[in-house]
Amino acid sequence: MRAARLIKMVLLLQSRPLMKAAELAQELDVSERTVTRDALALSAAGVPVYAERGRAGGYRLVGGYRTGLTGLARTEAEALFLSGLPGPLREMGLGDAASAARLKVSAALLPSLRDAPASAAQRFHLDAPGWYQEPPTPELLPALADAVWADRRISARYRRRDGSEVQRTLEPYGLVLKAGVWYVCAHAAGGSGNAGNPDRPGSTADSGTSEPPGPPGDSAEFRVYRIDRFTAVVPYGDDRFVRDEDFDLPGFWEARAAGFARSLLRAEVRVRLSPSGAARLPYVADRSAARQALTTAAPADPAGRVTLVLPVESLEVAYGQLLALGPEVEVLDPPELRERFVEAAGRSAELYG
């Protein structure tokens, strides 16, 4: 523990010309007295740490000293490529590795380039979760993240959407963070405990986020699981799997998510929209479906109104979405949805006199 702290102290001093004791104490999460003792230990070991007294003083390395301890460990190198995602890194248990990797890179940079990390951080930040939600970190995310990095086969218990639990033997290939919700893309290893699909498509039940379904058919297919539904995750002995190098995580997720979105649109409504309503439709309905419907719609009538068929999740969902367009939309079919809009329009007219 102390050895790692001493190495970090050297790297900090190598990456900056001078650091006050209070700054080092904060970076190392120790007291200033411990910083003083560590500086003396480094000096005794031959590292030229020099203490400058006074208000503007602090600690620095003498004579352009540079350590050879800047080589990256595997976990640090892997975490470095995710260093723009500080929140997710902490949730996966990689916060310390990413911090060490950034520090080693900073220490290895030329003095003229040492402001590059701070400059980039000031200019770009990725905020992954959606607005108006603070999804909790799944308790078993670090265990799954460790299995993903180590290509370790796991035995897991998974809670289905209906509340029942199933036992799975999985080969976890990759993690995906979608709108604040964590998923794992895994290869379902053979065995009687893996028959069937993990979850069927659903709408906004449970945690308020839909889940891309597993594909039908053979249990040896790649599947998608919500991490907050795992109730147990343990290594499958010391068994590690051989990763399929052709597996493309971004491509797999994009195809699966697109297919899932399409699978939710199980009904259709025919509407007539004013120019304003047509412009606002992609912002109240499924954006892809709305744009496709607008693209394939017949030419507008003399008043500029366009009639189109819009795929929707359900008539109930369509009612809530299209109601937001107010008088800019007229529902033509199906009759039961049109009647609901007629009734809503009557109540609005009565309310406003």
Side-chain angles (χ1 to χ4, degrees):
M1 180 67 179
R2 191 189 185 200
R5 189 175 72 241
L6 291 174
I7 292 173
K8 185 173 183 180
M9 184 174 180
V10 173
L11 292 173
L12 283 167
L13 293 174
Q14 185 174 313
S15 65
R16 307 180 197 179
L18 181 74
M19 291 190 70
K20 295 183 180 297
E23 294 174 330
L24 281 168
Q26 182 177 2
E27 290 279 358
L28 300 172
D29 195 24
V30 295
S31 67
E32 292 186 32
R33 180 172 297 181
T34 299
V35 168
T36 301
R37 288 199 297 264
D38 286 351
L40 290 173
L42 287 170
S43 181
V47 178
V49 178
Y50 178 73
E52 293 186 356
R53 307 297 179 184
R55 178 176 297 180
Y59 292 91
R60 64 182 178 86
L61 294 175
V62 179
Y65 176 85
R66 300 187 68 79
T67 177
L69 298 173
T70 54
L72 294 178
R74 169 172 287 276
T75 56
E76 295 168 349
E78 291 169 338
L80 184 62
F81 288 97
L82 300 173
S83 58
L85 307 168
L89 274 171
R90 286 193 300 271
E91 294 175 2
M92 287 189 291
L94 293 173
D96 289 343
S99 176
R102 288 193 296 269
L103 184 57
K104 288 182 178 181
V105 170
S106 296
L109 291 174
L110 294 173
S112 60
L113 298 177
R114 285 179 184 163
D115 65 336
S119 176
Q122 290 170 348
R123 288 165 172 79
F124 178 77
H125 173 69
L126 177 62
D127 184 10
W131 290 103
Y132 313 119
Q133 56 178 315
E134 296 181 4
T137 301
E139 181 180 350
L140 296 175
L141 174 59
L144 279 161
D146 181 67
V148 168
W149 289 116
D151 294 338
R152 183 178 293 113
R153 188 174 285 116
I154 60 171
S155 177
R157 289 198 63 79
Y158 186 76
R159 187 180 65 254
R160 293 176 180 268
R161 187 175 293 277
D162 61 8
S164 63
E165 289 193 2
V166 292
Q167 188 76 30
R168 301 264 181 223
T169 301
L170 300 175
E171 297 171 351
Y173 266 65
L175 300 172
V176 175
L177 178 61
K178 171 69 172 179
V181 179
W182 284 96
Y183 299 88
V184 61
C185 302
H187 188 277
S192 59
N194 288 321
N197 290 331
D199 269 326
R200 299 311 305 158
S203 57
T204 55
D206 296 338
S207 298
T209 305
S210 301
E211 175 171 4
D218 193 317
S219 65
E221 296 287 347
F222 286 99
R223 304 180 187 277
V224 175
Y225 300 85
R226 275 185 64 143
I227 293 181
D228 59 7
R229 292 208 182 125
F230 283 95
T231 59
V233 172
V234 295
Y236 194 79
D238 295 326
D239 200 3
R240 295 174 186 264
F241 63 90
V242 178
R243 177 175 288 266
D244 180 358
E245 297 300 331
D246 291 331
F247 178 74
D248 174 19
L249 179 60
F252 170 80
W253 177 264
E254 182 179 1
R256 185 58 54 85
F260 176 58
R262 288 192 299 269
S263 74
L264 292 178
L265 305 179
R266 304 167 184 163
E268 290 183 341
V269 297
R270 192 164 66 94
V271 297
R272 183 181 293 123
L273 298 157
S274 69
S276 174
R280 291 168 53 195
L281 183 64
Y283 299 98
V284 301
D286 179 88
R287 184 165 299 184
S288 178
R291 287 176 173 167
Q292 179 67 20
L294 287 166
T295 301
T296 57
D301 64 18
R305 297 177 304 176
V306 60
T307 300
L308 55 83
V309 175
L310 177 68
V312 294
E313 185 174 339
S314 68
L315 296 187
E316 185 64 34
V317 171
Y319 176 74
Q321 292 173 338
L322 297 175
L323 201 60
L325 296 180
E328 308 304 325
V329 61
E330 178 188 0
V331 175
L332 304 175
D333 282 309
E336 58 269 34
L337 183 60
R338 180 178 175 87
E339 285 300 317
R340 289 192 66 179
F341 272 80
V342 169
E343 191 267 338
R347 285 193 289 119
S348 295
E350 181 179 342
L351 180 64
Y352 290 100

